[in-house]
Amino acid sequence: MTPDTGLESVRKVSRTGDSASGTGSESGDAVSAGDDRDDRRQLTWWLALCSPLVVPWVVVLTTSATLVFPWGMVAVEGWYVTSLPDFLASTSGLPRHLEVWPLGSLCYGFAFAWAVGERIGADQRVTAGLLVLAAIAAVWMGSGLGVEPNRRAIPLGSILLFALALWAYVRA
């Protein structure tokens, strides 16, 4: 009798789908379910990572509301949209709390790009760090925009960006 090297059982499983413990369909189903779960997890991550594009980073409340996004701002009264480049071109001498807006947007853009790079082996902790920097920029904007009387600023985006940073770090 020749010693079993394990190759025969591997060949048998690959030919018939059987395993030593049963029919193999259980393990195939488990692998398939695991793949589906991983696919759903990846899709959820990418949808969540795109959400700061549609969730306002700062909501400024006066008699009306203005929504500040990484790409621009929307005045709710009249639904007037101003892109970030247009805003920067039409203003000069920005206060410090608005100077961080383009920096936060860049940090978010780099975090997104780095997350794409994770697919080829980039470090996920860099994504988390860049998202934290974008969240700090959103807090800074909100704190500066809300100092005037009769004006409130709610930094919604900072909560979302901090949560995404935590998720990116935990995934690492």
Side-chain angles (χ1 to χ4, degrees):
M1 178 158 208
T2 60
D4 184 12
T5 60
L7 293 177
E8 283 302 314
S9 59
V10 170
R11 286 187 192 121
K12 181 180 175 188
V13 168
S14 66
R15 272 185 279 146
T16 63
D18 292 345
S19 66
S21 64
T23 63
S25 64
E26 295 166 359
S27 63
D29 290 345
V31 169
S32 176
D35 289 345
D36 289 345
R37 220 174 294 125
D38 288 343
D39 290 345
R40 274 187 262 128
R41 220 176 269 140
Q42 283 294 323
L43 177 62
T44 304
W45 164 248
W46 285 106
L47 288 174
L49 192 59
C50 291
S51 65
L53 293 171
V54 294
V55 173
W57 285 21
V58 180
V59 177
V60 181
L61 301 172
T62 55
T63 56
S64 173
T66 301
L67 310 174
V68 181
F69 296 92
W71 47 265
M73 65 174 66
V74 177
V76 175
E77 186 177 312
W79 295 103
Y80 185 72
V81 177
T82 305
S83 70
L84 179 58
D86 288 345
F87 178 78
L88 294 174
S90 66
T91 58
S92 62
L94 291 174
R96 291 252 186 247
H97 63 273
L98 288 177
E99 286 178 353
V100 297
W101 181 18
L103 293 175
S105 296
L106 279 174
C107 287
Y108 171 70
F110 286 142
F112 193 90
W114 201 269
V116 171
E118 288 174 13
R119 312 251 328 147
I120 57 171
D123 192 355
Q124 295 170 331
R125 294 172 294 183
V126 175
T127 303
L130 289 166
L131 288 169
V132 166
L133 291 175
I136 290 170
V139 168
W140 197 337
M141 277 190 305
S143 67
L145 288 170
V147 296
E148 292 185 19
N150 300 325
R151 184 193 289 180
R152 276 183 151 164
I154 305 164
L156 286 179
S158 62
I159 298 166
L160 175 62
L161 289 164
F162 276 126
L164 284 172
L166 180 63
W167 189 0
Y169 187 77
V170 169
R171 289 177 53 233

